Amino acid sequence: MELHDLTSHLIHRTDVKLMNYFKKKLKPYGMTPVRWSIMNVLNPQTGLTQTELAEAIDKKQTTIVEMIYAMEEKGLIKRTFSDLDRRSHYLFLTEKGEELKKTLAPLVKDAHLFVTRQLSDEEIDQLKILLNKVTLLVN
């Protein structure tokens, strides 16, 4: 079987190209795609545990620990310890984080529109369905 006929190769190649494009767009803001994912799922009102956050962005907890610390240092997220268990804490987006999220949201939407510009709405929906189906099969 030829390399370019392998679905895994096509998905990987697409992921690399999309992530490189997205990184370029986010770099001026000191963001990365994973940090954007963290900001996207956090909000100022409802806290998430580190486990919930990792599950929400489909990353291992160990992968996001340093990012959480770095984003906390920049004032983008804050940690609030549980009253019931001091070992447990919840992560929230700060006001500064919320402002950056609002600034980046149109940029992220424009990036999505750019990379899918030659696909119809139906094709985009079908692509999402197929990628989710493949993802579930390999879990």
Side-chain angles (χ1 to χ4, degrees):
M1 189 172 221
E2 293 293 318
L3 180 63
H4 295 286
D5 290 330
L6 294 171
T7 305
S8 58
H9 173 73
L10 294 170
I11 291 171
H12 174 70
R13 186 181 69 181
T14 303
D15 178 54
V16 169
K17 288 182 180 238
L18 291 176
M19 284 301 110
N20 286 338
Y21 175 79
F22 199 38
K23 284 176 190 176
K24 284 181 201 172
K25 295 294 181 185
L26 293 172
K27 189 174 182 176
Y29 300 92
M31 281 280 112
T32 65
V34 177
R35 287 183 182 180
W36 163 252
S37 297
I38 290 170
M39 289 184 67
N40 192 45
V41 299
L42 290 179
N43 68 64
Q45 293 83 29
T46 309
L48 293 179
T49 65
Q50 192 171 302
T51 302
E52 291 168 333
L53 175 61
E55 287 174 6
I57 65 169
D58 201 23
K59 296 287 180 191
K60 292 181 181 177
Q61 284 189 56
T62 53
T63 303
I64 64 170
V65 169
E66 287 184 32
M67 286 177 235
I68 290 169
Y69 286 127
M71 292 174 76
E72 191 174 26
E73 269 185 27
K74 291 182 179 188
L76 300 173
I77 62 176
K78 67 180 176 183
R79 221 184 284 253
T80 303
F81 288 92
S82 168
D83 292 335
L84 302 173
D85 182 358
R86 295 290 295 164
R87 295 170 296 169
S88 183
H89 59 269
Y90 295 93
L91 301 164
F92 296 86
L93 206 55
T94 63
E95 217 174 285
K96 182 179 178 181
E98 184 67 19
E99 287 303 313
L100 182 57
K101 183 178 179 178
K102 286 178 185 173
T103 299
L104 293 177
L107 180 135
V108 171
K109 184 176 181 181
D110 287 347
H112 167 75
L113 292 172
F114 178 78
V115 300
T116 59
R117 69 191 179 282
Q118 293 186 346
L119 301 175
S120 69
D121 289 344
E122 287 176 357
E123 289 172 322
I124 293 169
D125 289 342
Q126 186 65 30
L127 179 61
K128 289 177 191 177
I129 290 167
L130 293 172
L131 289 172
N132 282 318
K133 193 180 252 186
V134 170
T135 299
L136 289 173
L137 291 173
V138 294
N139 273 344

